[in-house]
Amino acid sequence: MVDEDHDNEAESMNHETEHEGERVMSRADGAAILREVAAGVEEGTIHIEGENGFTVAVPEHFELEVEYEATDDEAELEVELEWPMEDGEPVSADDEHG
């Protein structure tokens, strides 16, 4: 029975795709990657190369969140783009936040 439960969990997660990578780099290298992401946003398709590479279609309108957190021993800046999906395809976000 335990195996069946595990299989069901795996099935329910089949619709979620996640790619993540992190490494230490110079400001120049980080800026180059951010420029590639920005160009992809502008063109409508982001291409990230490498071992964990991926391609993402970006709709015309999306939600952008920028978050900065700092403590005595660490700082974190996150940039997040979010939009709805319908049948596996990106859909432009509505401007519900005014």
Side-chain angles (χ1 to χ4, degrees), residues 13 16 48 72 83 93 98:
M13 297 197 49
E16 182 176 318
I48 301 295
D72 289 340
W83 56 85

Side-chain angles (χ1 to χ4, degrees), residues 4-5 10 16 19 21 25 27 30 44 46 63-64 87 91 95:
E4 285 181 24
D5 289 341
E16 182 176 318
H19 297 272
M25 65 182 62
R27 285 195 313 227
I46 299 172
E63 183 178 321
L64 176 71
D87 298 321
V91 178
D95 186 13

Side-chain angles (χ1 to χ4, degrees), residues 3-4 6 9 17-18 21 28 32-34 37 50-51 60 64-65 69 72-73 75-76 92:
D3 288 337
E4 285 181 24
H6 180 69
E9 286 176 17
T17 302
E18 184 173 320
I33 291 171
L34 291 171
V37 170
E51 184 178 326
E60 188 67 30
L64 176 71
E65 177 183 339
E69 293 181 38
D72 289 340
D73 59 355
E76 183 175 325
S92 282

Side-chain angles (χ1 to χ4, degrees), residues 40-88:
V41 168
E42 194 168 42
E43 294 165 8
T45 306
I46 299 172
H47 300 283
I48 301 295
E49 298 191 15
E51 184 178 326
N52 293 322
F54 56 90
T55 300
V56 176
V58 180
E60 188 67 30
H61 298 277
F62 54 87
E63 183 178 321
L64 176 71
E65 177 183 339
V66 179
E67 180 180 339
Y68 176 69
E69 293 181 38
T71 64
D72 289 340
D73 59 355
E74 184 177 66
E76 183 175 325
L77 175 68
E78 291 185 17
V79 178
E80 181 175 293
L81 286 64
E82 187 174 322
W83 56 85
M85 299 284 281
E86 286 182 10
D87 298 321

